[in-house]
Amino acid sequence: MSFLPAFFVALFAAAPAVADTTVKQLLTKEKRALASLTSDQARALLDPVSNDLPLYSTDWLASQPRVKGGPEWQCLAEALYFEARGETVKGQFAVAEVIMNRVDNPDYPDTICNVIGQGTGRKHACQFSYTCDGKKEVINEPGAFNRVGKIAKAMVDGAPRVLTKGATHYHTKAVNPRWARTFPRTATIGFHHFYRQPTRLSQN
């Protein structure tokens, strides 16, 4: 037997059993967290350069035909209109990513409309401010709605999500919510900061 294997045997034998258990638990939790990522989210983590895609340009947006869709498209288009119509094309795609990431996350409802409407009607519980600001949702800028409608269609049809690295939350730069102090920030695009919800660690 060579010296090297014997050295490692002695090294690991000397390590406290509790440390070994802790490492195994952390690895198990990390594997679970990675397994919960969609393929687009995993690609975004591995290939951060790929977020400079043609569809994030005004030229691409202008080249797309006017679109209409079903209820899920309508909900996403309205959310982008009221939450992000003043953003760049990339900023609007980023907000759409958050909504779609929530749909895929087991902590949230599994449809676009239910994600957007979650908590509406309960004080301080709404997830998207325009749904509980007391104002009637009226679309006064049809041109802007047409543009965000194209983005909503692309996202519903499966456009890549490579801008926010799996973000489930965002806020404008004008505010500083309490949760932003503990959530990992994944991106800043336009007027918004984006964050990923921390992985919940089960208690053993």
Side-chain angles (χ1 to χ4, degrees):
M1 181 181 290
S2 67
F3 170 75
L4 191 58
F7 168 77
F8 280 110
V9 168
L11 179 64
F12 285 113
V18 65
D20 186 47
T21 302
T22 301
V23 169
K24 286 181 180 177
Q25 289 173 342
L26 288 173
L27 288 173
T28 299
K29 290 170 183 175
E30 187 68 19
K31 286 179 182 177
R32 287 176 185 164
L34 289 172
S36 71
L37 294 176
T38 66
S39 58
D40 284 330
Q41 291 168 343
R43 278 195 295 270
L45 291 172
L46 295 172
D47 186 17
V49 179
S50 66
N51 67 15
D52 191 18
L53 300 175
L55 75 165
Y56 301 139
S57 70
T58 54
D59 288 341
W60 177 87
L61 203 62
S63 72
Q64 301 305 300
R66 185 182 293 269
V67 298
K68 282 190 174 181
E72 294 289 275
W73 167 83
Q74 183 75 27
C75 287
L76 183 56
E78 288 179 357
L80 295 179
Y81 178 84
F82 291 111
E83 291 279 304
R85 70 180 178 275
E87 270 284 7
T88 63
V89 174
K90 185 178 281 191
Q92 291 166 350
F93 267 103
V95 169
E97 279 190 22
V98 168
I99 295 169
M100 301 303 289
N101 288 341
R102 285 192 176 200
V103 172
D104 291 342
N105 189 311
D107 289 339
Y108 298 93
D110 60 2
T111 69
I112 294 171
C113 293
N114 286 342
V115 161
I116 293 167
Q118 187 178 20
T120 300
R122 303 199 313 270
K123 190 175 181 180
H124 305 306
C126 61
Q127 300 295 301
F128 297 89
S129 57
Y130 82 93
T131 66
C132 61
D133 60 6
K135 299 176 184 177
K136 187 176 180 181
E137 284 79 55
V138 179
I139 295 171
N140 293 317
E141 301 174 43
F145 185 75
N146 177 47
R147 289 190 292 275
V148 298
K150 296 176 182 181
I151 292 171
K153 180 71 162 58
M155 294 302 290
V156 169
D157 287 349
R161 303 179 214 164
V162 295
L163 292 171
T164 65
K165 299 180 178 67
T168 51
H169 292 69
Y170 65 89
H171 66 79
T172 68
K173 294 177 180 178
V175 299
N176 186 24
R178 183 178 299 174
W179 54 260
R181 301 170 197 166
T182 57
F183 284 30
R185 185 186 295 182
T186 61
T188 296
I189 301 172
F191 302 115
H192 292 97
H193 295 308
F194 294 85
Y195 301 81
R196 185 172 57 250
Q197 184 169 315
T199 303
R200 288 184 183 174
L201 300 181
S202 58
Q203 298 297 320
N204 293 332

